[in-house]
Amino acid sequence: MNATDRTPADLLSSALAADPGRPLVTFYDDATGERVELSVATFANWVAKTANLLQDELSVEPGDRVALLLPAHWQTAVWLLACASVGAVADMAGDPAAADVVVSGPEPESLEAARACSGPRIALALRPLGGRFLPQAPEGFADYAVEVPGQGDRFVPYAPVDPEEPALIVAGREFSGAEVVERARAEASELGLTGPGARILSGLPYDTWEGLSAGLYGPLASGGSVVLCRHLERAGAGVLDKRIEAERVTATAR
């Protein structure tokens, strides 16, 4: 990673320039059996499309707040980096009533809470391979899987992103883009992320800094990668041991 990187979007740009074909996020859902592997290039493409959706379709501007009512999931990671690309504040499990845009998972309680947002509402089905809602999205929501494919593959922000402005809110704490990058770098070695080739398996939720650091920012800041596991409690010890071996995991966070 470049020492000049000041925002999470900068970290992704550097990763893309250095080695676009390497794995960045490998996602498992032990409730459905899903496994998805995203290279840096594939992940960056999803981020660009989502950032274009935010900027062009949802009219999100730097400083706007995007409430993310989402679990630890590869699509959540995409939204976090898309918000960083636009300069929006990603508010994990934030109050939809105080947000300019809300993004919800498919759970009924999450969708009900999201209706408090007076701005655009996006729903994610979180189905394998990024599938859409069937037969249709919940009333009052746009289906992410329908809206994002037609967006552009390259993203250019209308205004430069200020690394000193707020970029993330998690567990009630606000971080600037620069703080996210600096803290992720500083803590990477504590997580066992010692540089390129390091691979961490994380079963932590995304509603704490620790979960976000292990499950996204730490690997991105260190040139490593993450095996992100949802519903890890449903995987037996033997399954987990085999996964660690098969995925060449070098560190774990559970």
Side-chain angles (χ1 to χ4, degrees):
M1 300 297 102
N2 295 326
T4 56
D5 291 339
R6 298 292 310 285
T7 72
D10 290 340
L11 294 176
L12 182 58
S13 295
S14 291
L16 188 62
D19 188 358
R22 73 172 176 85
L24 179 60
V25 178
T26 303
F27 173 74
Y28 282 86
D29 188 331
D30 284 296
T32 64
E34 177 185 4
R35 179 188 183 277
V36 174
E37 183 169 283
L38 292 91
S39 67
V40 175
T42 300
F43 183 82
N45 182 253
W46 276 92
V47 170
K49 285 180 174 291
T50 305
N52 280 316
L53 175 66
L54 280 167
Q55 181 172 262
D56 294 335
E57 303 297 329
L58 305 179
S59 300
V60 170
E61 299 178 349
D64 285 352
R65 182 174 296 194
V66 180
L68 300 179
L69 310 187
L70 298 169
H73 192 280
W74 69 266
Q75 290 188 328
T76 310
V78 166
W79 274 92
L80 285 162
L81 266 294
C83 288
S85 299
V86 174
V89 182
D91 190 355
M92 290 302 307
D95 179 6
D100 298 285
V101 175
V102 67
V103 184
S104 173
E107 298 80 7
E109 60 273 18
S110 177
L111 292 167
E112 184 59 33
R115 295 184 189 281
C117 180
S118 60
R121 305 178 195 131
I122 307 294
L124 279 63
L126 301 181
R127 297 180 62 236
L129 302 177
R132 63 180 61 185
F133 282 92
L134 295 176
Q136 61 188 20
E139 184 178 355
F141 291 81
D143 188 336
Y144 174 63
V146 173
E147 301 297 327
V148 80
Q151 301 298 320
D153 294 327
R154 293 185 66 255
F155 174 74
V156 178
Y158 293 151
V161 176
D162 186 343
E164 302 303 331
E165 288 297 314
L168 173 70
I169 300 172
V170 60
R173 180 170 176 182
E174 185 178 277
F175 297 85
S176 69
E179 287 173 329
V180 170
V181 171
E182 290 164 6
R183 187 166 178 179
R185 280 177 170 155
E187 297 176 1
S189 61
E190 298 174 16
L191 292 169
L193 292 163
T194 54
R199 194 154 164 81
I200 187 169
L201 182 146
S202 177
L204 299 177
Y206 267 5
D207 58 359
T208 66
W209 167 257
E210 290 74 19
L212 291 175
S213 181
L216 177 61
Y217 296 124
L220 196 57
S222 63
S225 60
V226 61
V227 179
L228 186 63
C229 300
R230 187 183 184 202
H231 298 128
L232 189 58
E233 71 281 356
R234 302 192 188 186
V239 171
L240 183 57
D241 290 343
K242 290 178 181 177
R243 182 175 303 166
I244 289 172
E245 181 180 2
E247 298 289 354
R248 300 182 180 181
V249 168
T250 60
T252 60
R254 293 184 271 149

